[in-house]
């Protein structure tokens, strides 16, 4: 009886849990507009091919700031501005890693220093490699066993997780802590197995951190097949590693996040949609996070193109410095608090430009259930998962203030094959999958704007 009643109400155009037949029609209009006329794919090509990777503090990042400012104006934003952010400046520089057996010649290994790692000052640092497969195994080693050694943390990305972000989270502690763990016991530098779901020789970078009052020794990553080969050799031989790296922190500088909005017709309560404009200094930053940037701009463009009269202000934020500091997200949250701006909802796309499968909801149960009640509207577009509870990294300051936050959840199976590598390039992005992500984000913002 309940299902019959709900169906009847939908046919009559009446609201059931905040959704109507009109919403279904509007969803279709949003999808048709973006899939037929969306500019996100061509804009991503422009960003990745004409600017490329965009590490915070680099000249390329500053070019991206100007690029995003213009694209938001082109999309029809009523207001566009730059938000000042003090960001850390990290530079990679020339780097190399070699290994050799006792009587052998030096062999070069493909590698990348981890982001924020200090280098060797351009000097060679060498020592014997010792390998551990887990934190527990490392904890059992004495300082005497580690002193003057190079520690190889060979912890594999767990393939058994269907949701690959769980595999990434499981392995991420090795990237973030390897250097300080090594330094505490007197080691010279750390090597980690890349946080990769692929079986290839591509090293993955990504942020690491140093503990206070602990020596800042270098940390580098190697690809999966190199890690396997090194493990095999270490079973029968002593291996010496030699690192030469010019990377390191170079202080701070003033930079900017880029913000554009269309003003609400009813009030100026804010709905945020965003991604991060920076990327690592390898590849082109296409999936991470050029995709999220162009999808967010597409949301604003679609509202303007379809003449949707938004009740609340819809604001696109292109966050600075997500990769190695989250300073853009922190500054945005600080400004919201200082200005006492009311925010209704915030969503970020920072999980790649693959086909959308769901939207994670990081909010109280009342809000979650309201959004989950709209789930059938999303099913025709391949979006079905509204059960996860997390949100984008840049949004955590807003979430900590009690603002409902969310993150677009694309299909994750290929993401960690290329994440933070030279392989994250425009050619890995499919036009329809990218634009379908923009469709889902526009649709949920349409529903939030109408019902909250």
């Amino acid at each position: 009886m309940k299902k019959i009643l709900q169906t009847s109400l939908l046919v009559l155009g009446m609201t059931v849990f905040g959704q109507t037949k009109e919403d279904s029609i509007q969803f279709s209009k949003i999808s048709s507009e973006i899939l037929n006329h969306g500019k996100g794919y061509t804009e991503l090509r422009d960003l990745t091919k004409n600017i490329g990777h965009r590490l915070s503090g680099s000249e390329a990042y500053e070019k991206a700031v100007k690029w995003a400012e213009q694209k938001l104006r082109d999309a029809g934003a009523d207001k566009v501005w730059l938000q000042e952010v003090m960001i850390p400046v990290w530079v990679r520089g020339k780097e190399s890693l070699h290994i050799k057996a006792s009587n052998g010649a030096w062999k070069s290994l493909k590698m990348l220093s981890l982001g924020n790692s200090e280098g060797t000052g351009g000097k060679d640092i060498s020592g014997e490699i010792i390998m551990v497969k887990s934190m527990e195994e490392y904890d059992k080693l004495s300082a005497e066993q580690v002193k003057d050694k190079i520690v190889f943390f060979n912890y594999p990305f767990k393939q058994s997780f269907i949701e690959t972000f769980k595999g990434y989270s499981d392995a991420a502690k090795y990237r973030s802590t390897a250097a300080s763990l090594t330094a505490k016991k007197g080691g010279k530098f750390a090597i980690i197995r890349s946080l990769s779901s692929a079986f290839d020789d591509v090293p993955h970078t990504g942020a690491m951190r140093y503990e206070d009052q602990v020596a800042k020794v270098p940390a580098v990553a190697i690809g999966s097949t190199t890690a396997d080969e090194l493990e095999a050799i270490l079973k029968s031989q002593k291996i010496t590693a030699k690192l030469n790296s010019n990377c390191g922190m170079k202080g701070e500088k003033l930079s900017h996040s880029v913000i554009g909005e269309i003003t609400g017709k009813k009030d100026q309560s804010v709905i945020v949609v965003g991604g991060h404009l920076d990327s690592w200094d390898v590849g082109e930053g296409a999936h991470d996070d050029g995709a999220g940037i162009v999808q967010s701009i597409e949301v604003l463009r679609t509202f303007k193109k379809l003449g949707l009269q938004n009740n609340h202000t819809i604001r696109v934020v292109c966050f600075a410095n997500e990769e190695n500091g989250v300073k853009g997200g922190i500054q945005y949250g600080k400004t919201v608090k200082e200005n006492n701006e009311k925010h209704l909802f915030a969503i970020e796309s920072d999980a790649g430009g693959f086909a959308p499968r769901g939207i994670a909801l990081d909010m109280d149960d009342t809000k979650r259930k309201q959004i989950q009640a709209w789930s059938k509207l999303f099913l025709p577009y391949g979006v079905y998962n509204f059960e996860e509870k997390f949100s984008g990294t840049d949004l955590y300051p807003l979430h900590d203030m009690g603002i409902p936050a969310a993150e677009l959840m694309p299909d994750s199976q290929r993401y960690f094959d290329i994440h933070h590598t030279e392989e994250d390039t425009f050619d890995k992005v499919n036009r329809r999958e990218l634009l379908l992500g923009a469709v889902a984000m526009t649709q949920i913002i349409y529903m939030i704007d109408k019902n909250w």
Side-chain angles (χ1 to χ4, degrees), residues 123-297:
K123 300 177 181 179
D124 290 342
I125 293 181
S126 61
E128 181 187 341
I129 299 176
I130 55 174
M131 183 186 75
V132 294
K133 301 279 284 188
S134 68
M135 290 288 188
E136 293 74 19
E137 191 175 332
Y138 181 73
D139 289 341
K140 293 176 183 178
L141 296 177
S142 67
E144 185 178 351
Q145 290 173 296
V146 176
K147 183 175 174 57
D148 294 330
K149 302 292 197 307
I150 284 76
V151 183
F152 171 33
F153 291 88
N154 190 23
Y155 184 83
F157 190 105
K158 288 187 177 179
Q159 299 292 331
S160 55
F161 288 113
I162 303 304
E163 172 49 66
T164 60
F165 275 86
K166 294 179 181 178
Y168 177 72
S169 296
D170 173 65
K173 59 182 176 287
Y174 291 88
R175 189 183 72 198
S176 61
T177 64
S180 288
L181 289 173
T182 298
K184 285 179 180 179
K185 294 185 180 182
K188 290 185 174 180
F189 66 89
I191 302 171
I192 71 161
R193 183 190 186 104
S194 287
L195 278 58
S196 174
S197 52
F199 293 88
D200 59 25
D201 196 29
V202 178
H204 295 229
T205 190
M208 51 79 70
R209 65 174 184 269
Y210 289 112
E211 292 185 28
D212 293 337
Q213 312 305 317
V214 176
K216 295 181 178 181
V217 304
V220 305
I222 57 176
S224 299
T225 56
T226 293
D228 288 340
E229 291 167 3
L230 182 55
E231 177 181 357
I233 297 171
L234 285 167
K235 289 178 180 178
S236 60
Q237 303 177 61
K238 286 188 176 181
I239 300 295
T240 299
K242 178 176 65 177
L243 176 68
N244 190 304
S245 168
N246 290 278
C247 67
M249 298 298 298
K250 307 297 181 184
E252 293 185 323
K253 69 178 290 187
L254 180 65
S255 191
H256 300 87
S257 295
V258 187
I259 304 173
E261 66 183 28
I262 45 178
T263 307
K265 305 301 184 290
K266 173 184 169 184
D267 60 48
Q268 293 187 29
S269 299
V270 178
I271 298 171
V272 165
V273 55
H276 64 85
L277 188 57
D278 63 311
S279 76
W280 282 110
D281 59 324
V282 291
E284 295 171 350
H287 278 286
D288 187 18
D289 185 28
I293 291 296
V294 299
Q295 287 170 333
S296 300
I297 296 172

